[in-house]
Amino acid sequence: MKRLVVAAVLLLASGTVSLADGLFWVVGNRATGKCAIVTSNPVIIGDIWFGDGPYKSRADAKLARLTIRVCPPVTPEQEKEEDGAN
């Protein structure tokens, strides 16, 4: 019985950790005047002045960034750099 409980706890813990992977946030950076897509929950302090998310995919985060008024439009060159970096 104890083995079953331990196995269930380990399975639940590993499932919870894996749910956090693959999430994306849109953050506004006051220093650069741009909005970036990040893969970790942002801490709103200093130059980071807002965070929006989480989103389940990078495509969802890009779509959300288009709808945020304070985010400047992304040029095709910047988009290629983003896609190449990740």
Side-chain angles (χ1 to χ4, degrees):
M1 184 69 172
K2 288 181 182 179
R3 288 184 184 180
L4 183 61
V5 171
V6 170
V9 168
L10 289 175
L11 183 63
L12 181 64
S14 66
T16 305
V17 170
S18 68
L19 287 176
D21 292 341
L23 297 178
F24 300 90
W25 286 263
V26 178
V27 295
N29 188 329
R30 188 171 297 161
T32 62
K34 297 179 182 178
C35 295
I37 298 173
V38 297
T39 57
S40 62
N41 195 354
V43 176
I44 311 302
I45 189 167
D47 289 334
I48 305 298
W49 59 286
F50 80 86
D52 187 39
Y55 298 99
K56 292 184 179 181
S57 69
R58 180 172 294 279
D60 289 344
K62 285 182 180 183
L63 183 62
R65 180 173 56 185
L66 293 173
T67 64
I68 299 172
R69 290 185 187 195
V70 295
C71 292
V74 179
T75 65
E77 293 83 23
Q78 291 171 334
E79 193 165 339
K80 285 180 184 177
E81 289 175 10
E82 275 185 2
D83 291 340
N86 294 318

